[in-house]
Amino acid sequence: MRNESTQCCVVGGGPAGMMLGLLLARQGIEVTVLEKHTDFLRDFRGDTVHPSTLELIAELGWIEEFLTLPHAEMHEVTVSIGGKAVTFADFSRLKVRCPYIAFMPQWDVLDFLARKAAAYPGFRLLRDTEMTGLLLEDGRVAGVQARTPDGPLEVRADLVVAADGRHSTARAAAGLEPAAGSPPMDVLWFRLPRHQGDEVPFFQGGHGALISIDRGDYWQLAYAIPTSAYPELRQAGLPAFHDRIARLAPGLSDRVALIDDWRHLHQLTVRVDRLKTWHRLGLLFIGDAAHAMSPAGGVGINLAVQDAVATANLLGPVLGERRPDERDLARVQARRERPTRITQAFQLGILRDLYPKDLADDTAEHVPPIFTAFKALPPLRHVMGRFIGLGVRQEHITRS
Ligand SMILES: Cc1cc2nc3c(=O)[nH]c(=O)nc-3n(C[C@H](O)[C@H](O)[C@H](O)COP(=O)(O)OP(=O)(O)OC[C@H]3O[C@@H](n4cnc5c(N)ncnc54)[C@H](O)[C@@H]3O)c2cc1C
């Protein structure tokens, strides 16, 4: 058994964990991030970098370099239902340096953060290292146990931050159970080639809902179906599935048949849940580990990053002097819980109407009130632009 020690051990190298590791190391704190995968090259993750996250990168002084990475800019979000379109969010009035969503593969974003973090002497990223358990000492979480290719590892730390996502191992090890909301959908991810001149709306509702992300030479597509409807969809057969996609995105009808095996579709079960208490002595949960987000509105990454910034702002100075106590950790929850509650209520309430209730449901036949409201009141697009683009409580980097 190998043993290491650090000031802060972050479990999970996703958006929350990598941003936190970077910001703490930048404050001169020793931090070790454990990531169970060998690289960040996992497909079918959210690809959105929001105006607030771009602003943070600008505050760090890296925005020009960041924007040299391949990306597409989305200045407004258009929702289309039954062939009628409405602008749902407009980012043009945001007072930030980049008033748009940058679509960038998440592995590029995480690689960028890892590269920047590596420049700080206190930062360590241990890939292929899976946290398996918590070390407990005198009623306090004193570190973690992990599985590595070279055998078991123990990392002792003044603070463990669990940023290990919606299936958090740390949460299970701490015996914590989140309260779950009921998201209206599951998501099937797949790809189709992209041709010059393709006209494919970002969000198309009807029988199911199709979200289309431009990845240069291919479309990254997310087909949202009612929760647990996948077996029924499969039973209806692939031609029926092709027909559904072709009706939502006629521009792709010439290539939907390339999906000739269900294995081309990756099902992701959507969860929305939240821990009542985000901490135990020595252990803090942030990002999806504290509050799993659905893809609705594409706001989960933003929230995870904002949690990381608040954590670094509040706990970095404490870690520099002593081990954080429960009151220190409670301050992070106090700051981030309200934005989380409001965002989850928005995902489970307002946005839910954009998604069909069962496979036979066609949202075009009973146009959701939210769609009608945005058509009647165009200024709402700026309100939504602010909500999606900056979130409920925008965090800034306060420590150098
Ligand atoms: C289908 C789907 C689509 C989505 N699309 C979007 C979108 O477009 N935009 C958006 O903003 N949000 C989207 N979301 C939500 C978003 O993915 C999450 O809110 C966000 O990724 C949370 O970031 P995180 O860092 O907290 O967790 P994660 O991104 O889940 O990262 C957790 C990390 O921890 C690692 N890990 C897990 N267990 C361990 C362990 N035991 N030891 C070590 N490492 C571990 C994982 O490998 C992973 O790298 C989507 C969600 C779903 C389900």
Side-chain angles (χ1 to χ4, degrees), residues 90-378:
D90 181 338
F91 306 114
S92 63
R93 291 195 190 161
L94 298 183
K95 304 256 179 301
V96 288
R97 275 157 276 201
C98 304
Y100 53 80
I101 289 180
F103 278 93
M104 192 183 280
Q106 197 178 105
W107 54 82
D108 281 347
V109 179
L110 297 177
D111 271 335
F112 180 88
L113 297 179
R115 239 185 7 259
K116 288 295 179 191
Y120 298 104
F123 181 83
R124 286 189 77 209
L125 170 61
L126 302 183
R127 301 179 197 255
D128 207 357
T129 301
E130 180 174 6
M131 177 242 160
T132 50
L134 296 170
L135 293 173
L136 295 173
E137 242 171 49
D138 304 327
R140 175 184 188 99
V141 173
V144 300
Q145 293 154 330
R147 188 184 299 131
T148 82
D150 306 322
L153 169 73
E154 269 189 13
V155 183
R156 308 184 75 78
D158 292 341
L159 175 67
V160 175
V161 178
D164 52 344
R166 60 207 184 111
H167 302 296
S168 170
T169 311
R171 205 168 57 194
L176 297 176
E177 186 68 45
S182 51
M185 60 176 149
D186 285 344
V187 174
L188 304 174
W189 284 102
F190 60 104
R191 293 172 172 191
L192 285 174
R194 184 173 169 274
H195 298 166
Q196 280 292 335
D198 272 349
E199 292 276 343
V200 181
F202 173 67
F203 181 103
Q204 178 69 56
H207 276 115
L210 187 71
I211 293 148
S212 317
I213 299 170
D214 174 356
R215 283 252 183 104
D217 56 351
Y218 66 93
W219 289 103
Q220 177 82 61
L221 298 154
Y223 183 53
I225 54 172
T227 307
S228 313
Y230 192 39
E232 194 186 335
L233 189 81
R234 282 185 70 142
Q235 213 170 17
L238 274 171
F241 173 71
H242 297 154
D243 191 46
R244 282 173 168 269
I245 300 303
R247 269 190 286 154
L248 286 171
L252 297 178
S253 54
D254 59 348
R255 60 209 101 134
V256 276
L258 290 172
I259 303 295
D260 56 4
D261 192 311
W262 291 106
R263 276 179 302 181
H264 291 152
L265 302 177
H266 299 259
Q267 184 190 11
L268 278 180
T269 304
V270 173
R271 284 173 74 138
V272 176
D273 62 30
R274 191 169 63 239
L275 282 176
K276 191 161 178 268
T277 307
W278 297 15
H279 50 87
R280 280 183 57 181
L281 191 56
L283 173 66
L284 173 71
F285 294 86
I286 62 169
D288 269 23
H291 47 73
M293 306 301 291
S294 105
V299 287
I301 296 170
N302 194 32
L303 209 66
V305 168
Q306 299 282 311
D307 282 3
V309 177
T311 305
N313 286 343
L314 291 166
L315 299 186
V318 178
L319 278 162
E321 290 177 3
R322 59 178 169 81
R323 296 197 304 192
D325 59 29
E326 286 239 48
R327 268 187 315 173
D328 298 316
L329 305 185
R331 285 170 65 213
V332 177
Q333 178 173 357
R335 183 157 181 96
R336 296 303 308 160
E337 187 169 9
R338 190 162 161 270
T340 303
R341 279 178 180 274
I342 295 173
T343 312
Q344 287 187 329
F346 163 77
Q347 291 194 318
L348 289 173
I350 297 176
L351 289 184
R352 143 177 236 127
D353 282 350
L354 294 176
Y355 298 93
K357 286 159 197 49
D358 54 50
L359 279 185
D361 187 16
D362 181 354
T363 46
E365 286 173 4
H366 50 88
V367 176
I370 184 168
F371 189 87
T372 318
F374 275 75
K375 221 162 175 77
L377 277 172

Side-chain angles (χ1 to χ4, degrees), residues 21-42:
L22 162 69
L23 294 178
L24 287 178
R26 187 172 164 272
Q27 291 179 34
I29 305 296
E30 274 182 24
V31 50
T32 301
V33 179
L34 311 184
E35 169 52 52
K36 69 178 176 184
H37 291 101
T38 46
D39 55 37
F40 297 126
L41 275 176
R42 289 175 300 295

